[in-house]
Amino acid sequence: MKILILKNNLAEGVGVVERAVGTTEKLPSLQHLHLRTTDAGLTVTATNLELAIQATITGKILEHGECSVPASVFSPIVRNLTSERVTLESVHKVLSLVTDNYEAKIPGGDPKDFPLLPKVSEGAIVVSIGVGTIRRALLSVVGAAQYSEVRPEISGVLFCVREGRLFLVATDSFRLAEYVVPETAFESPSDVQVIIPLRTTEEILRVFGDDEEQLSISIDEHQVLYATPTRRIISRSVDGVYPEYRAIIPTEVGTEALVARQEFIAATKLVSSLAGRANDIMVTVEEKGKYLELSSGESSRGENRYRIPAKIHGDAFSVVFNWKFLFEGLRIYHGAEVILGVKKGGPTLITSASEPFIRYVVMPIRS
Amino acid sequence: MTNTELWKNVLGEIELQISRPNFLTWLKQSELVDRNDRDGVVLVSLPNNFAKEWVRNRYHKLILGSLRSIDSSIKNVDYVVASFAATSAATHKQALLRKALPLKPQQPLIELRIDPVTNLNPKYTFGSYVVGSSNELAHAAMQAVIENVGTRYNPLFIYGGVGLGKTHLLHAAGNTIMERYHGSVRVFYVTSEKFINDVVWAIRNRRMEDVKRRYRDVDVLIVDDIQFIAGKPTTELEFFYTFNTLHEHSKQIIISSDRSPAAIPTLEERLRSRFEGGMIADISYPDYEMRLAILNTKTPPNTLQEKTIEYIATKVQKNIRELEGVLNKVLFYQQYKNEHITMKKLDEIISETIQITSKNITAGDIIRTVADFFEVPQVELTERSRKQEIVEPRQITMYLLRDVLKLSYPHIGEKLGKRDHTTAIHAFEKISREMTQNPTLNQKVALIKERVYKGV
């Protein structure tokens, strides 16, 4: 194998895949990066057997071939190279890396020992979506999910095509976020439902950064392949049935408060400074009030309150929230105003008129 | 030789031929899960897709050879990925996050606990189900069904008015069955609305087979509010087939409805007769003692005065959901204001909860609905006719005018054929009394009331 390549491209590609390098595995090849030339350039692969990441880097191929090198040696060298161009050449399992003023020889492993990537079956359903769209959707919901050993089926993000729309949903059983992608922003040959492991969603957000590209997501029974022309992630899906979450989102609320979002965020952060161990802050609206009052603390620890002007429709209420959950529900929106919809004894719904495709539901703390 | 022993021998042999890290990574967590003697195929489970790919490509010959040297009837090996082990995905960061979560007082989203496989809501149990004279038959029948799934009463048909606890009973039964038989009996709960949607979806997407499989591959099918499928021919037909398939195989079917099979007007005859073929049990209005018992179970200790609870039990009579609604409002009020509730406020809460629907109903609505229900001309009710078949409808009208609209007795008498106010009083008392003794009358009144509220 011999290839001439730009240092920046190589460093970027290696940076993308090296997060998938296994750290604890006993098999040495799992701590390696696998390099192989293809017609498109140099393909670098790493896997920890839970997921695999691949990046294809353009370069001038002088001789086809493959090799495998320890990531812990190869990647710092690539990162710190000072020259613009690099030549990689592998002879007898030793990779030499040559620039105009630097030369390194790295003993590698047998490329045949590198794990084979599982293939997505022929019958896989392929959904096509803009990278920007899936990123926005995932960023909106992923904060509501939490890894749970007891309930693996919610330790991930639900990806569900139904009735012509794509739903992304995450929950940790205390709050739930839903993002709806309209028909025009993606293509899918049929309805499909899969749960993407949380770890994989993190990698998707990291690996696919170019909002202009199209991401193709191939889903079969056991695994999902996420691919753009130059990057690929292959990961298993979470087994299990996602809960029928739609019943949770309240269709009607008792009281609605329209609030400026930035001020609500600022108030939540400020008032949280005296919140108790349960992160509890109280949100109160008085009968015919014109304010939303946030308060926390108690006399021994110190107490504080913050009043935000609000347009209120409905009865008085007083609810206690974990401020982090409330904050997350405000953070995912971008518009100037949000609507806090409170139902007595039930979940609270946070929505925004400017982003009707996002819904965030949070349960209060029992006071 | 058992599957486990066989596989242990094979692994012992392979371990000698490949490197230790390779063995630990790819084969340590493998298992022989199935062995089909007829076609000589064994099924091996592996921890992940990567292992499956690797073993199938690199070790297949080794494994097959080793298996055949022990048992020559084995012809082939297939590989599957074991079910997602929850432990594999935990990263350090996530473990830290988990520790930081202050979960104690945080309330969960209850509906999320609904089991997606059975659709059962764990919130409903027999522990919180109060049994009294009005529902003891239904409760006893349900217990018999739980003891003898599919053999005792099949189908079990439970009917009763809105908010009397049918859904609670159904979920509780499903949950108990799951618990008692440790999940070996497959339970599936569905509302008839969901069933209709599934059938419609299946027709549109040509996936009828999926729906058939989902509903027929169960041991206990629970269908809530069956009355809604009446008048939807395709759904009724599909349900009929499902019903027959399950029934033939002695699978338990539990159905609820707001009225008896005979009283669902557009229900197809063959379905009706099938529903009537098992056990029919009704749930009627709870009596005072039972209402009191319900309130006492639902009230957290030391929050309400005894007399407040008794007063609510006296006032709210017809609907357990309303009973709970009033209770929750009272509790909330007390918590919010931090003071004991006054009788005046209590009356206010009760009236705003249970009368909310009667605001736009007029005497004319009631008279028209009663006339429609009994199929008698409206004028007969409002004239001085003494025909026998008019007597009961007229008395019911009087009862409803008083009960729903709180009209004065003289006014009621005046409206229905210029009668004396004592006639109206007599009618109201007679119907009130008979309703407690005569379930058919009770049913009729409830249905008429429902129609009045819905403005049918």
Side-chain angles (χ1 to χ4, degrees), chain A residues 26-27 47 49-50 112-114 118-119 147 151 171 173-174 223 236 239 241 243 248 344 363-366, chain B residues 22 24-25 47 49-50 53-54 57-58 81-84 86 88 98 103 105-109 112 116 332:
Chain A
K26 296 169 186 75
L27 199 66
T47 177
L49 301 189
E50 195 187 311
K112 298 278 178 281
D113 280 348
F114 193 81
K119 289 176 191 66
Y147 177 74
R151 305 198 54 187
T171 180
S173 86
F174 305 114
Q223 59 228 324
R236 76 181 307 165
D239 288 343
V241 186
I248 289 166
K344 276 166 199 162
M363 274 308 274
I365 287 176
R366 199 171 283 116
Chain B
N22 269 320
L24 291 176
T25 308
N49 290 311
F50 291 90
E53 199 70 20
W54 188 265
N57 283 287
R58 298 286 160 90
V81 178
S83 199
F84 188 56
S88 67
R98 189 162 67 239
L103 300 182
Q106 173 68 45
Q107 296 185 61
L109 290 156
L112 259 193
F332 175 77

Side-chain angles (χ1 to χ4, degrees), chain B residues 20 136 177 193-194 205 232 234 314 327 331 345-346 373-374 419:
Chain B
R20 179 131 189 92
E136 62 185 347
I177 291 172
E193 193 197 354
K194 174 88 176 23
N205 292 294
K232 301 184 177 60
T234 323
T314 326
L327 180 69
L331 285 171
K345 183 69 196 171
L346 192 53
F373 185 85
F374 289 100
R419 284 178 165 74

Side-chain angles (χ1 to χ4, degrees), chain B residues 248-268:
Chain B
E248 275 166 22
H249 292 90
S250 291
K251 307 290 186 194
Q252 182 69 43
I253 300 154
I254 305 173
I255 300 166
S256 89
S257 162
D258 67 347
R259 60 203 98 156
S260 71
I264 307 177
T266 46
L267 191 67
E268 277 212 50

Side-chain angles (χ1 to χ4, degrees), chain B residues 10-33:
Chain B
V10 170
L11 287 184
E13 196 170 313
I14 294 176
E15 200 174 356
L16 301 173
Q17 302 181 44
I18 64 177
S19 78
R20 179 131 189 92
N22 269 320
F23 180 77
L24 291 176
T25 308
W26 305 120
L27 287 169
K28 189 75 204 302
Q29 293 174 65
S30 62
E31 258 176 73
L32 201 161
V33 288

